[in-house]
Amino acid sequence: MDSSFWALVALFLFFALLGKLGVHKMVLGALDKRADNIRRELEDARRLRDEAQALLSDYQRRRHEAEAEAEAIVAEARAEAEQLTAETTRALEEMIARRSKLAEEKIAQAESQAIAEVKAKAADLAVSAAEKLLKANVTDKVADTLVVKGIEQVKAGLN
């Protein structure tokens, strides 16, 4: 019986004492508890991953919807811009046509007025010349009557 034997006996006694005190149950209980905690953490991690995956797919769907909506808004804005451009162009052309017509009417009116002024001036000159000729060539009361009647007829005819 040497010291190795007594060390072996002491080891068996130590294990028996540990068994009697229920240390193995405490160790197994702690390991079971640790395994349960790990299992719960794994389940929580799976659940969180599933929720994250659902959120990701929801955000991706929303992003696609937003992109489609943005494209629709841009297309609608382009159509409105083209329509506004066409309406503005048409309104501008109408305004130019109206102004051109108004300018032509003013030109025609000025032309008519100038012709009327020339005719009036020519009539005044003709009356004045006729009056001078008649005064120089015709005398007496008859001449005066003729001059007055002629002047009235010329004025009435020109206006």
Side-chain angles (χ1 to χ4, degrees):
M1 302 225 185
D2 65 354
S3 62
S4 302
F5 173 76
W6 289 113
L8 180 64
V9 170
L11 181 65
F12 282 130
L13 287 176
F14 177 72
F15 283 136
L17 179 66
L18 287 179
K20 183 86 171 163
L21 293 175
V23 172
H24 68 287
K25 290 180 183 178
M26 288 191 306
V27 169
L28 289 176
L31 289 176
D32 287 342
K33 188 175 180 182
R34 176 89 171 128
D36 288 341
N37 285 340
I38 291 172
R39 192 175 305 112
R40 270 194 308 269
E41 287 177 5
L42 285 173
E43 287 174 4
D44 287 344
R46 280 189 204 111
R47 183 182 48 80
L48 289 174
R49 189 192 75 209
D50 291 343
E51 288 176 7
Q53 191 68 26
L55 281 174
L56 176 64
S57 64
D58 184 47
Y59 285 129
Q60 287 176 343
R61 180 186 51 82
R62 286 183 185 179
R63 184 185 55 121
H64 289 300
E65 289 174 358
E67 287 174 354
E69 186 177 341
E71 288 176 7
I73 289 171
V74 167
E76 184 178 334
R78 281 190 183 130
E80 285 182 20
E82 289 174 3
Q83 181 182 7
L84 185 60
T85 301
E87 288 176 7
T88 303
T89 303
R90 183 181 44 80
L92 182 61
E93 288 172 355
E94 288 175 0
M95 184 184 73
I96 290 171
R98 280 194 313 269
R99 291 211 176 179
S100 296
K101 185 178 179 182
L102 183 62
E104 289 172 1
E105 289 174 357
K106 284 184 178 182
I107 290 170
Q109 184 181 13
E111 186 178 321
S112 297
Q113 187 177 3
I115 291 172
E117 288 176 3
V118 169
K119 284 182 180 180
K121 189 68 171 176
D124 288 343
L125 289 175
V127 168
S128 177
E131 184 179 346
K132 287 180 185 177
L133 284 174
L134 286 175
K135 282 185 180 180
N137 294 332
V138 178
T139 55
D140 270 344
K141 193 173 189 175
V142 174
D144 291 336
T145 306
L146 285 175
V147 170
V148 170
K149 285 184 181 179
I151 291 172
E152 288 174 3
Q153 287 176 352
V154 170
K155 283 185 178 179
L158 290 176
N159 291 330

